[in-house]
Amino acid sequence: MAKSASDRRAKQETGKEEKKTLYELLRVSPSASQSEITKAYRNLALLLHPDKVVHRLEQQAEATSKGEGKAADLEELKSEATRHFQELQAAYEVLKDPKRRKRYDETGSTGDDAAESFEEAYEYYRRVFPEFNSADIDSYRQVYLESAEEVQDILDFCHRFDGDLTHFFEYIPFSDKEHLPRYLRILRDLVDTKKVKKNATFVETLKQLETQAEKYAALVEKESKQLTKKNA
């Protein structure tokens, strides 16, 4: 009987750690549907965007009094974060394509000898986000929502775009229109504590945030239907 992909990817000798799969890199089950894989990737792409990763590394460096976050090393940090982000994207490209995914499930190969780079990406994100080590994307969602990290992401977004909230739902991980009341509360608190400037752009786009939430929800639904139709 031919060995399954999971058997082929299993450790070959006692004490040798099993290689991480593309599913583990994307934090989804091997039985995940195409829409679940797309949803997981969408959220991971926001959580693990190079800008966010570099910011996290700089914070870690400051906390440990290391020099990794200094300006001289910034380009190197960005380069490494970008390289691993591209590996995350490559993993998604394999799993979102039914034919490539089937071949990967059957052979354990992506067809381009990239297994080692995916392994490196997994370990990299494991180091940068230790709290995300054993959680799948849905489990981490519960940790992230209403956390200090979510508030920090919203604050960073406001600073990065100078108060323009137009693309809020495309930037904040796990954003959904059902969370709009909480987002409004957080934004008001950030203004009240003078962490965010209440400029004209902020005021105007804040009024449109509910509309943006509806548009984003419609976009996600449309993409999901297109994916379902494509893979039918």
Side-chain angles (χ1 to χ4, degrees):
M1 180 182 295
K3 290 185 178 180
S4 67
S6 59
D7 289 334
R8 279 188 290 270
R9 290 193 293 269
K11 55 187 177 181
Q12 299 298 313
E13 56 186 78
T14 303
K16 184 176 181 180
E17 187 177 351
E18 180 180 346
K19 286 186 176 297
K20 301 304 177 184
T21 67
L22 302 191
Y23 294 104
E24 288 173 293
L25 179 56
L26 291 181
R27 296 299 198 278
V28 294
S29 164
S31 61
S33 67
Q34 294 298 129
S35 60
E36 288 172 333
I37 288 173
T38 296
K39 181 180 178 182
Y41 171 73
R42 179 191 292 276
N43 285 310
L44 279 174
L46 293 173
L47 284 167
L48 306 178
H49 188 277
D51 288 345
K52 182 175 175 64
V53 171
V54 169
H55 180 67
R56 169 65 72 97
L57 288 172
E58 289 177 319
Q59 289 181 320
Q60 290 178 352
E62 290 176 4
T64 57
S65 300
K66 293 181 180 180
E68 292 179 314
K70 293 182 179 179
D73 299 321
L74 188 57
E75 287 305 313
E76 183 178 346
L77 289 176
K78 284 184 177 179
S79 177
E80 184 180 23
T82 299
R83 176 167 60 85
H84 289 304
F85 188 71
Q86 290 170 342
E87 289 157 359
L88 184 74
Q89 291 174 313
Y92 173 60
E93 288 299 318
V94 171
L95 296 185
K96 80 171 185 178
D97 184 316
K99 291 183 179 179
R100 294 183 69 187
R101 180 182 180 183
K102 184 174 185 293
R103 181 175 62 187
Y104 174 73
D105 287 343
E106 292 175 345
T107 68
S109 171
T110 61
D112 54 9
D113 299 321
E116 186 173 342
S117 65
F118 290 129
E119 186 86 0
E120 289 176 359
Y122 180 89
E123 293 302 327
Y124 175 77
Y125 290 125
R126 184 174 181 270
R127 173 170 60 85
V128 178
F129 293 88
E131 71 275 25
F132 196 16
N133 285 353
S134 60
D136 61 24
I137 194 68
D138 286 330
S139 297
Y140 189 70
R141 178 179 182 275
Q142 300 305 316
V143 174
Y144 179 85
L145 295 178
E146 300 190 58
S147 69
E149 184 176 3
E150 181 186 46
V151 174
Q152 184 62 49
D153 282 345
I154 293 174
L155 176 60
D156 290 344
F157 171 82
C158 291
H159 287 170
R160 181 176 182 181
F161 296 100
D162 196 24
D164 188 342
L165 304 174
T166 302
H167 299 290
F168 183 92
F169 288 90
E170 299 166 39
Y171 186 93
I172 303 302
F174 307 110
S175 56
D176 190 283
K177 65 179 181 180
E178 69 177 273
H179 302 308
L180 183 60
R182 187 176 77 257
Y183 295 146
L184 292 174
R185 173 177 54 78
I186 292 172
L187 288 166
R188 284 195 297 268
D189 288 346
L190 291 175
V191 169
D192 290 343
T193 55
K194 301 187 184 304
K195 293 179 180 178
V196 169
K197 293 181 180 179
K198 192 177 181 181
N199 58 29
T201 301
F202 177 87
V203 172
E204 185 59 31
T205 54
L206 183 63
K207 295 177 183 177
Q208 302 169 6
L209 202 59
E210 183 173 359
T211 300
Q212 295 298 334
E214 295 291 345
K215 287 182 178 180
Y216 183 71
L219 175 63
V220 171
E221 183 178 3
K222 180 180 178 181
E223 289 181 349
S224 179
K225 288 181 178 179
Q226 288 176 336
L227 185 62
T228 300
K229 183 178 180 181
K230 178 181 178 182
N231 295 315

